[in-house]
Amino acid sequence: ASARAGKCPCSDSTTYEFKVEFSGRMEKCSWITKNNLAKKDAARTKKFCADTQTKLQCAKTCSNCRGCADDEGHTFVLPNVGKTVNCSYITKNIKRTATRKKNLCPLQGHACPKSCG
C-alpha cells in the first residue's frame, strides 16, 4: 500500500456529474470509459478529462492519481476576505472543513487534491 492510501485514495467521485454537450445529458465518471470500443473510450477520456474539474473528480478514470499531495507553492486569495492562504487552510479548522471544501475545492482542487480529497 502506498503512503497516501486512506488519506487521499485514487477513486472517482460517486456523486460528480458533468454535462455531455451533444446529448445535453448529465453523466457520471464511469460513462467516460463504458464503451466497448477502446478507440471511443480513448477519445472520450481525452475530451472529458481535459476539463480541470472532471479530471479532479474522475481521478481514477482520468489517470490523475500520480500525486495525491497538495501543491505546497500554491496560494489563493479568499473571496470576500482578501487574505492569501495555501491548501492547508481548507482543513485547518475541523468545524469549517466541510464548508471550506464545498466553497473552495471546485476552484482549488486541482492544486489541493489532498486537502480536497
Side-chain angles (χ1 to χ4, degrees):
S2 70
R4 64 180 186 248
K7 283 189 175 178
C8 193
C10 184
S11 60
D12 291 340
S13 166
T14 56
T15 56
Y16 176 75
E17 292 185 337
F18 58 93
K19 188 174 187 174
V20 178
E21 301 85 19
F22 65 85
S23 69
R25 293 181 52 189
M26 297 301 289
E27 298 288 354
K28 292 190 177 294
C29 299
S30 58
W31 178 87
I32 297 171
T33 55
K34 79 171 195 169
N35 197 290
N36 290 333
L37 298 172
K39 191 174 179 181
K40 193 158 192 169
D41 277 359
R44 282 183 177 176
T45 301
K46 184 177 180 181
K47 179 177 182 175
F48 294 102
C49 294
D51 175 77
T52 305
Q53 189 62 20
T54 299
K55 190 173 184 174
L56 171 71
Q57 297 292 340
C58 304
K60 187 173 184 181
T61 296
C62 293
S63 301
N64 189 33
C65 303
R66 63 196 181 290
C68 210
D70 293 340
D71 176 348
E72 294 188 19
H74 179 73
T75 60
F76 54 96
V77 178
L78 294 174
N80 304 322
V81 181
K83 181 180 175 188
T84 300
V85 296
N86 63 18
C87 297
S88 66
Y89 173 83
I90 296 168
T91 57
K92 173 167 105 169
N93 182 330
I94 194 76
K95 292 180 180 176
R96 296 193 175 144
T97 297
T99 301
R100 288 178 179 171
K101 282 185 177 186
K102 184 177 145 224
N103 294 336
L104 300 172
C105 291
L107 293 175
Q108 306 305 329
H110 67 284
C112 306
K114 184 176 179 189
S115 293
C116 289

